[in-house]
């Protein structure tokens, strides 16, 4: 996986202003310092029991993972555990205590107004989710949900909910149409209608979110907003997952982003955008499990997008197309003789214009084979439209999202300089995870939206918030 500094460089390049970390990794928090990026940190499930049983343990966690980093790192929320009721039910009895202890530590440090505390839930805790007006939380969790919702009310926090139409679709045995899961337009006679409210639902996402709103109202809670802390679609699957495809992943995430940014809201709460984290930032090639579990990411580990989102009409969500912010550079530790041979090829048979490398020209300094070959490799990579295999040079080159331009030496492909910048936005999705290493991209809807993306980071996985 990329280093923390490489992750932050990608976030900045993409104008991502919010991230979610699935832990509180010190190196990542340090890398985020003075970036202005808003950060949600997380208490991992394996630390929940200790924190939920000890106010002192919670205070120590806050001191180590929050106070040590603010205000340089802009921490704005803490997710306590992940899908605890369904993934770690033995910790459920201490979940609310953990939230209260964490919040008390924030109050003691006068940080409770800027940092909100909540816990992400799987949407499977909602029973009878359609029609939404009849939905309710699994009653066996009332001893947790009732005090939890009261806590969220009293602290001005929000219900964190993970919403995965992909899994709803896969588990429906054909009842849920694919178009309904992907936000594709439906004819009026195909829309799902809640017979109790006569509200029309054109997609699974809205139906699940409204089911959560109705489930809260069933417990007499009507003023707690919802933030979707994970959502996405896998771009590849095995033979049992035929709908985990690049096209479907692109369609789902593109449509989800447009749906949130257009402030459509849900049928129950029209015009009130649902802030949403897209899971996840990077694919996870080494993740165990099915093929789809490895392929929810918007980007490969080298920073190259898995696909280009279709965001026409949605405004500029991110910065320039990520494909125009990838470069080819000399691989660290490469044999200088191999670099020289590759440089000679690029400037000869490769037909790269290497005149900027001549003495007295902008890219002559530093005068060494690593710097010169990096320029030549990248120029070739760009002129070949970054085609697969054009940044290898017998293993001495690699792709990066860090612009290698320096001083007056501007590399081809550098935004606004040499090379062509194509309009568009690059992103890609990933899957449920509670392991360290996840990054979530989050796009925030609302009138004050200014092309910002909120990204949540776990060291192995990542999500994006819209």
């Amino acid at each position: 996986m990329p280093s923390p500094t490489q992750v932050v460089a990608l976030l900045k390049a993409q104008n991502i202003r919010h991230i979610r970390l699935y832990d509180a990794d010190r190196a990542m928090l340090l890398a985020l310092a003075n970036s202005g990026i808003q950060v949600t940190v997380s208490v991992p499930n394996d630390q929940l029991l200790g924190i939920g049983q000890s106010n002192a343990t919670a205070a120590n966690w806050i001191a180590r993972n929050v106070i040590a980093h603010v205000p340089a790192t802009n921490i704005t929320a803490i997710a306590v555990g992940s899908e605890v009721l369904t993934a770690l039910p033995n910790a459920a009895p201490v979940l609310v205590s953990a939230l209260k202890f964490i919040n008390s530590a924030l109050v003691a440090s006068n940080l409770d107004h800027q940092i909100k505390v909540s816990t992400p839930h799987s949407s499977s805790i909602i029973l009878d989710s359609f029609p939404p007006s009849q939905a309710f939380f699994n009653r066996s969790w009332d001893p947790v949900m009732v005090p939890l919702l009261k806590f969220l009310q009293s602290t001005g926090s929000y219900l964190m909910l993970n919403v995965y139409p992909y899994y709803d679709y896969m588990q429906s045995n054909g009842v849920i149409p694919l178009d309904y899961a992907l936000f594709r337009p439906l004819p009026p006679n195909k829309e799902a209608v809640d017979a109790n409210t006569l509200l029309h639902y054109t997609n699974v996402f809205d139906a699940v979110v409204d089911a959560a709103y109705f489930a809260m109202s069933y417990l007499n809670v009507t003023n707690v907003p919802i933030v979707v802390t994970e959502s996405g679609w896998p771009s590849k699957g095995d033979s049992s997952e035929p709908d985990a495809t690049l096209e479907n992943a692109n369609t789902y995430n593109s449509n989800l982003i447009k749906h949130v940014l257009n402030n459509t809201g849900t049928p129950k709460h029209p015009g009130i955008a649902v802030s949403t984290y897209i899971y996840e930032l990077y694919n996870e090639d080494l993740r165990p499990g099915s093929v789809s579990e490895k392929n929810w990411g918007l980007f490969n580990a080298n920073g190259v997008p898995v696909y280009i989102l279709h965001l026409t009409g949605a405004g500029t969500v991110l910065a320039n197309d990520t494909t125009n912010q990838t470069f080819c550079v000399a691989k660290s530790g490469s044999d200088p003789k191999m670099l020289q041979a590759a440089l000679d090829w690029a400037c000869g048979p490769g037909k790269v214009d290497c005149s900027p490398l001549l003495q007295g020209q902008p890219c002559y300094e530093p005068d060494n084979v690593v710097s010169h070959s990096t320029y030549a490799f990248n120029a070739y990579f760009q002129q070949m439209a970054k085609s697969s295999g054009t940044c290898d040079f017998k293993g001495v080159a690699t792709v990066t999202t860090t612009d290698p331009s320096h001083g007056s030496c501007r590399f081809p492909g550098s935004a606004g300089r040499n090379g062509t910048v194509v309009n568009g936005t690059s992103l890609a999705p990933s899957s449920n995870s509670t392991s360290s290493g996840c990054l979530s991209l989050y796009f925030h809807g609302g009138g004050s939206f200014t092309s910002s993306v909120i990204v949540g980071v776990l060291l192995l996985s990542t999500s994006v918030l819209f």
Side-chain angles (χ1 to χ4, degrees):
M1 292 299 291
S3 69
T5 54
Q6 289 173 321
V7 171
V8 173
L10 176 62
L11 301 182
K12 289 179 177 179
Q14 290 296 318
N15 196 28
I16 294 170
R17 306 307 305 159
H18 307 259
I19 73 162
R20 176 182 167 213
L21 304 172
Y22 287 77
D23 55 13
D25 181 72
R26 182 174 180 273
M28 184 62 72
L29 289 172
L30 288 173
L32 288 162
N34 303 310
S35 67
I37 296 171
Q38 295 186 30
V39 183
T40 294
V41 296
S42 301
V43 175
N45 282 354
D46 60 5
Q47 298 179 32
L48 187 62
L49 282 171
I51 288 174
Q53 297 178 83
S54 168
N55 207 339
T57 301
N60 287 336
W61 193 94
I62 290 295
R64 186 173 63 254
N65 298 299
V66 177
I67 296 172
H69 297 283
V70 296
T73 301
N74 188 14
I75 298 173
T76 58
I78 300 173
V80 180
S82 178
E83 301 188 347
V84 174
L85 300 186
T86 49
L88 193 68
N90 64 306
V94 302
L95 178 58
V96 176
S97 294
L99 270 71
K100 289 181 176 179
F101 289 158
I102 289 289
N103 192 66
S104 294
L106 292 174
V107 171
S109 300
N110 199 30
L111 292 171
D112 55 304
H113 293 296
Q114 74 181 62
I115 301 176
K116 295 303 177 184
V117 180
S118 188
T119 182
H121 296 285
S122 165
S123 62
S124 64
I125 67 168
I126 304 169
L127 302 183
D128 291 345
S129 58
F130 202 90
S133 62
Q134 292 181 194
F136 58 93
F137 294 120
N138 187 327
R139 296 301 301 273
S140 65
W141 294 122
D142 278 4
V144 177
M145 291 303 299
V146 171
L148 171 62
L149 292 173
K150 288 182 178 178
F151 168 82
L152 298 179
Q153 272 185 317
S154 66
T155 59
S157 190
Y158 38 83
L159 182 73
M160 292 179 169
L161 188 68
N162 296 341
V163 178
Y164 283 100
Y166 172 74
Y167 290 121
D168 293 327
Y169 164 74
M170 288 288 291
Q171 295 162 11
S172 74
N173 295 318
V175 173
I176 294 177
L178 181 61
D179 287 349
Y180 185 57
L182 293 173
F183 291 92
R184 283 179 176 150
L186 298 172
N189 65 331
K190 295 291 186 180
E191 294 177 358
V193 181
D194 186 325
N196 300 313
T197 61
L198 300 182
L199 295 174
H200 287 235
Y201 288 87
T202 60
N203 61 81
V204 174
F205 181 88
D206 282 353
V208 174
V209 171
D210 272 2
Y213 276 123
F214 278 109
M216 283 195 286
S217 65
Y218 186 79
L219 296 177
N220 298 314
V221 175
T222 57
N223 58 348
V224 173
I226 291 173
V227 167
V228 173
T229 37
E230 291 180 23
S231 192
W233 197 283
S235 60
K236 186 187 297 184
D238 56 32
S239 58
S240 66
E241 300 175 298
D243 295 298
T245 66
L246 277 173
E247 180 182 358
N248 288 343
N250 195 342
T251 297
Y252 178 81
N253 283 315
S254 297
N255 287 339
L256 172 60
I257 292 168
K258 287 185 280 191
H259 184 66
V260 172
L261 297 188
N262 289 342
N263 296 329
T264 307
T266 66
K268 179 172 171 57
H269 292 295
I272 301 177
V274 181
S275 296
T276 303
Y277 284 89
I278 288 187
Y279 183 89
E280 61 186 328
L281 188 60
Y282 294 108
N283 273 340
E284 299 181 68
D285 294 344
L286 302 180
R287 182 183 175 88
S290 64
V291 173
S292 67
E293 286 297 307
K294 309 173 192 290
N295 289 282
W296 291 76
L298 297 172
F299 296 91
N300 291 306
N302 61 6
V304 175
V306 176
Y307 48 81
I308 308 302
L309 291 175
H310 305 310
L311 296 177
T312 303
T316 305
V317 179
L318 305 181
N320 291 322
D321 189 333
T322 307
T323 54
N324 292 291
Q325 294 177 343
T326 53
F327 305 87
C328 184
V329 299
K331 188 178 293 184
S332 177
S334 295
D335 183 341
K337 292 182 179 179
M338 292 187 66
L339 287 176
Q340 185 65 54
L343 170 62
D344 293 342
W345 183 90
C347 295
K351 299 181 179 180
V352 166
D353 176 10
C354 292
S355 60
L357 299 175
L358 297 175
Q359 189 169 3
Q361 296 303 307
C363 298
Y364 175 71
E365 296 288 352
D367 181 17
N368 60 60
V369 70
V370 173
S371 179
H372 284 196
S373 61
T374 287
Y375 182 91
F377 293 172
N378 180 68
Y380 180 77
F381 181 56
Q382 303 294 334
Q383 77 181 23
M384 298 303 291
K386 306 178 188 179
S387 303
S388 177
T390 60
C391 180
D392 181 69
F393 293 92
K394 295 187 177 180
V396 297
T398 187
V399 174
T400 180
T401 57
T402 302
D403 188 344
S405 300
H406 53 89
S408 60
C409 177
R410 298 303 180 213
F411 276 51
S414 182
R417 305 181 182 95
N418 301 339
T420 303
V421 173
V422 180
N423 292 329
T425 306
S426 305
L427 277 184
S430 196
S431 75
N432 297 352
S433 172
T434 56
S435 64
S436 175
C438 246
L439 175 64
S440 301
L441 303 183
Y442 169 76
F443 287 81
H444 177 70
S448 61
F449 179 79
T450 55
S451 300
S452 63
V453 181
I454 302 175
V455 182
V457 179
L458 189 71
L459 290 186
L460 297 176
S461 324
T462 32
S463 316
V464 182
L465 172 65
F466 293 81

